[in-house]
Amino acid sequence: MSKRDFYEVLGVSKDASGSEVKKAYRKVAIKYHPDKNPGDSEAEEKFKEAAEAYEILSDDQKRAQYDRFGHQAFDGSGGFGGGGGGMNMDDIFSHFGDIFGGGGSPFGDFFGGGGGGGRRQRKGSNLRIKLKMTLQEMAKGVEKKVRIKRYTSCEPCNGTGAKNGTDMTTCSTCQGSGQVQKVVNTMLGQMVSNSTCPSCNGEGKIIKNKCDNCGGEGRMYTEEDVSINIPPGVDDGMQLSMRGKGNMPKGGGVAGDLLIVIEAVEDANLHRDGENIHYELHLSFADAALGTTVEVPTLSGNVKVPIDAGTQSGKVLRLRGKGIRDINGYGVGDQLIHVSVFTPNKINSEEKELLKKLRESKNFNPSNEHKEEKRKSFFSRMKDFFAQ
């Protein structure tokens, strides 16, 4: 399968400035970020494709080569830094982690990308937990404390795996740099790419004597209480992440992430649809005909709602602002009350006689006016509803 044009991948023109390229990459990368698309292999490929495009177009020299020779300028160079041949998530976060940080995001560590710069560090595995939340908690936001078991850095050796944290020697393969260079001949001349040193796994040092506490792993399996601040507006199935609260890798590096999957607890009375809350109100025939005042549960407690005389079954009442706040801060939903007039399944003889008398009354027979109301189109009724 042929590669897409890098400018097309980021959605920029060929004369786009460096800042425009960076802005476009950030937009695409956030859209297809693994934390926002868990288990979506297609999104992951697009995420990598965008990083590859940015790696070339953000470098003036590489961009000039690409503009002249296209993808062929980097064919065969291999590894990250030569067209993305060996690119993985650690490469992307290590090189471009700053793209995802900053900007005043209200979510802090959520949807984080990891830091960049310097020698690439190994990243530990992620942890995934399910967090049960009620509708009330989703509406207000909440701080939850959970206990997790994870690998953390060994304190006696500072995560190095070496006795006292210092009993190490410089790696002879990479001379302490943590990287080895590979030179490849291309049509443009020699291309140099860097990769992690296989002897020291990028650490630049070799352990002489292992730590007695962790046996040289540089990590310990521990229990930890974690406070999770959940913002208002989260929904069932949504996944959030806390950077650095996953497992530490062997021999040091950076911890993986804690992935939090929101699981909604079903409410006995209220049902959610996006930012709106729905409640089904069952009225007796007498209350619907005569009018009354009823108490209705909401996310913030019971409220009294007046019911007009002659209220019809199927009518929808709206309590504005009684829904759930949009997670991006775009307003608050409403609570919709669906009126259902109750018809008893069983009646006694006295009630039966009363109903027979009422049936003969003119007011208890559908009039032409009522029939006309029934014939109103769906769109007309929806218009009336939204005009409330």
Side-chain angles (χ1 to χ4, degrees):
M1 182 178 177
S2 60
K3 289 185 177 181
R4 286 203 299 157
D5 179 79
F6 284 155
Y7 292 100
E8 179 186 342
V9 169
L10 298 184
V12 297
S13 62
K14 290 191 175 183
D15 58 355
S17 66
S19 61
E20 289 174 330
V21 168
K22 182 175 182 178
K23 183 178 180 180
Y25 168 59
R26 187 177 189 276
K27 181 179 179 180
V28 176
I30 289 177
K31 179 179 179 180
Y32 295 112
H33 195 288
D35 285 353
K36 298 183 74 174
N37 303 274
D40 189 335
S41 58
E42 183 179 349
E44 181 176 328
E45 288 304 313
K46 289 184 177 180
F47 182 75
K48 292 179 180 179
E49 181 185 46
E52 182 181 357
Y54 178 69
E55 193 242 347
I56 299 299
L57 299 185
S58 63
D59 184 291
D60 291 340
Q61 184 177 357
K62 291 177 182 178
R63 183 173 178 177
Q65 293 176 355
Y66 179 73
D67 288 343
R68 186 175 181 185
F69 300 104
H71 294 298
Q72 189 177 357
F74 307 100
D75 287 348
S77 59
F80 189 72
M87 185 180 296
N88 56 42
M89 292 301 179
D90 286 344
D91 291 316
I92 297 171
F93 291 143
S94 176
H95 283 74
F96 308 135
D98 62 310
I99 290 290
F100 305 101
S105 172
F107 299 105
D109 286 339
F110 293 136
F111 306 130
R119 181 185 299 158
R120 200 184 92 193
Q121 292 182 299
R122 290 188 302 276
K123 185 178 181 181
S125 60
N126 295 333
L127 290 177
R128 186 188 301 269
I129 63 171
K130 287 186 177 181
L131 192 63
K132 293 182 180 292
M133 294 185 66
T134 65
L135 282 178
Q136 288 76 12
E137 290 173 331
M138 291 180 178
K140 296 178 181 178
V142 67
E143 180 181 355
K144 290 272 191 177
K145 291 186 177 181
V146 298
R147 175 162 291 188
I148 60 174
K149 293 182 178 181
R150 69 185 188 106
Y151 284 103
T152 57
S153 180
C154 175
E155 292 185 5
C157 67
N158 292 321
T160 63
K163 193 169 184 177
N164 300 321
T166 58
D167 205 353
M168 296 180 289
T169 184
T170 301
C171 175
S172 59
T173 302
C174 65
Q175 305 302 317
S177 68
Q179 295 184 332
V180 292
Q181 289 188 338
K182 181 180 179 181
V183 180
V184 179
N185 293 320
T186 70
M187 61 179 292
L188 300 175
Q190 289 187 333
M191 300 287 288
V192 179
S193 62
N194 294 325
S195 60
T196 301
C197 175
S199 299
C200 64
N201 292 320
E203 292 302 312
K205 295 182 181 295
I206 302 293
I207 296 175
K208 292 172 63 178
N209 291 301
K210 295 180 180 180
C211 171
D212 295 331
N213 190 55
C214 64
E217 282 202 6
R219 63 180 187 172
M220 300 293 294
Y221 197 56
T222 60
E223 282 190 346
E224 181 180 349
D225 291 326
V226 177
S227 293
I228 306 173
N229 289 309
I230 306 296
V234 295
D235 203 352
D236 183 55
M238 183 176 290
Q239 178 173 283
L240 308 176
S241 70
M242 291 186 70
R243 191 163 53 226
K245 287 298 182 180
N247 289 318
M248 285 290 294
K250 290 182 180 181
V254 295
D257 301 331
L258 175 62
L259 307 181
I260 304 117
V261 180
I262 304 300
E263 186 174 315
V265 176
E266 186 175 351
D267 192 277
N269 299 307
L270 305 176
H271 305 280
R272 180 177 181 177
D273 179 19
E275 279 68 60
N276 290 331
I277 294 296
H278 296 264
Y279 173 73
E280 188 169 357
L281 175 64
H282 295 278
L283 285 178
S284 69
F285 173 76
D287 283 341
L290 298 174
T292 186
T293 297
V294 296
E295 272 201 352
V296 172
T298 72
L299 293 174
S300 55
N302 290 351
V303 299
K304 291 185 177 182
V305 177
I307 303 297
D308 294 336
T311 293
Q312 302 296 308
S313 186
K315 185 172 184 178
V316 180
L317 307 176
R318 182 192 293 269
L319 299 179
R320 295 191 179 277
K322 289 293 185 180
I324 291 181
R325 181 174 299 280
D326 180 86
I327 194 169
N328 295 312
Y330 296 137
V332 182
D334 303 326
Q335 178 164 324
L336 307 179
I337 303 171
H338 302 264
V339 177
S340 177
V341 177
F342 172 72
T343 302
N345 293 319
K346 295 181 181 180
I347 56 176
N348 58 37
S349 58
E350 182 180 355
E351 293 166 339
K352 190 173 183 178
E353 290 301 318
L354 286 172
L355 290 174
K356 283 181 178 180
K357 292 179 180 179
L358 290 174
R359 185 164 59 182
E360 300 302 322
S361 172
K362 181 179 179 181
N363 287 334
F364 284 83
N365 282 284
S367 64
N368 291 333
E369 181 182 349
H370 294 148
K371 291 180 182 179
E372 182 64 28
E373 181 69 20
K374 291 286 186 180
R375 284 197 293 266
K376 289 180 68 176
S377 71
F378 169 78
F379 295 105
S380 296
R381 283 185 278 123
M382 289 298 292
K383 182 180 179 182
D384 291 344
F385 165 66
F386 285 111
Q388 293 181 49

